[in-house]
Amino acid sequence: MSSSTIYSMGVSVDGFITDREGAFAWTAPIEELFRFHLAQVSELGCYLLGRRLYETMLVWETDPSLRDNELGAAFADVWCALPKVVFSRTLDSVQGNARLAVASVAEEVAAALDVTDKNISIGGAGLAAAAIELGLVDELRMFRHPVVVGGGTPFLPPVTEAMRLDLVETRTFGSRVIYERYVRAHDESD
């Protein structure tokens, strides 16, 4: 089985990853969901991310208070060890086990897949939109939170041609968050 490129984010019922002010506090996971996120990130070989997501997640590398409990420490260990490629037009440098992207989205995805036999994840709405447009995303993983925010950053970009999907997994967490995992559908001729 070959490695897949995954786009995974928390999303509102109406399809947004942030609200109109850019806030996403409504995606804060309870322990059960946090453990699930930890398991998923533990299975990755690389994470490609945009600047805003990189800056949001940087606290796991720089804030020692996030290691004050066993679960936080476990996630910080996994996140810090995970190789990351950051796409940014404004950053001159990045920290930890990260590097700035030097090639196109397609080239960086191919390079990441070449150096690991694990799945890779791509995150940040803009970067994911570029990867989706190029046909590079194999799986969509949505954590649908029970909130309607009425606008903000959409999980999915407008597409020029349909992306057929198969729903292969769902799970409802105690917090009423619904996990939906979709894989790209392939025709018999593929």
Side-chain angles (χ1 to χ4, degrees), residues 111-153:
L113 289 169
D114 280 347
V115 298
T116 185
D117 58 353
K118 296 180 176 183
N119 291 333
I120 65 169
S121 192
I122 192 159
L127 182 59
I132 289 168
E133 185 176 310
L134 293 168
L136 301 174
V137 175
D138 304 305
E139 288 190 25
L140 298 175
R141 296 181 181 182
M142 302 167 63
F143 293 86
R144 196 172 298 276
H145 292 260
V147 61
V148 173
V149 298
T153 304

Side-chain angles (χ1 to χ4, degrees), residues 2-184:
S2 63
S3 299
S4 295
T5 303
I6 300 164
Y7 173 38
S8 177
M9 298 288 289
V11 61
S12 64
V13 169
D14 53 343
F16 297 97
I17 59 174
T18 65
D19 66 19
R20 286 173 285 220
E21 286 76 44
F24 53 91
W26 43 270
T27 66
I30 62 167
E31 183 177 330
E32 175 192 26
L33 182 53
F34 193 66
R35 287 187 185 283
F36 190 76
H37 285 303
L38 172 59
Q40 288 198 324
V41 172
S42 297
E43 295 172 356
L44 296 174
C46 183
Y47 207 114
L48 289 80
L49 60 169
R51 179 193 52 82
R52 284 187 297 272
L53 183 57
Y54 165 75
E55 289 175 340
T56 298
M57 295 300 291
L58 191 56
V59 296
W60 289 102
E61 309 220 20
T62 60
D63 185 349
S65 72
L66 294 177
R67 294 177 173 272
D68 286 350
N69 62 67
E70 183 181 334
L71 194 53
F75 186 85
D77 288 346
V78 167
W79 183 256
C80 290
L82 182 63
K84 292 169 277 298
V85 180
V86 181
F87 288 77
S88 174
R89 290 183 289 274
T90 57
L91 294 177
D92 294 325
S93 64
V94 290
Q95 299 178 42
N97 193 12
R99 68 169 178 82
L100 287 169
V102 294
S104 70
V105 174
E107 292 167 322
E108 291 287 2
V109 166
L113 289 169
D114 280 347
V115 298
T116 185
D117 58 353
K118 296 180 176 183
N119 291 333
I120 65 169
S121 192
I122 192 159
L127 182 59
I132 289 168
E133 185 176 310
L134 293 168
L136 301 174
V137 175
D138 304 305
E139 288 190 25
L140 298 175
R141 296 181 181 182
M142 302 167 63
F143 293 86
R144 196 172 298 276
H145 292 260
V147 61
V148 173
V149 298
T153 304
F155 174 71
L156 292 170
V159 294
T160 54
E161 56 182 73
M163 182 177 171
R164 292 186 347 141
L165 304 169
D166 290 325
L167 178 62
V168 296
E169 184 180 359
T170 62
R171 178 174 172 178
T172 302
F173 293 90
S175 59
R176 301 180 334 251
V177 170
I178 299 172
Y179 169 65
E180 303 167 41
R181 179 177 165 224
Y182 298 89
V183 297
R184 185 181 289 273

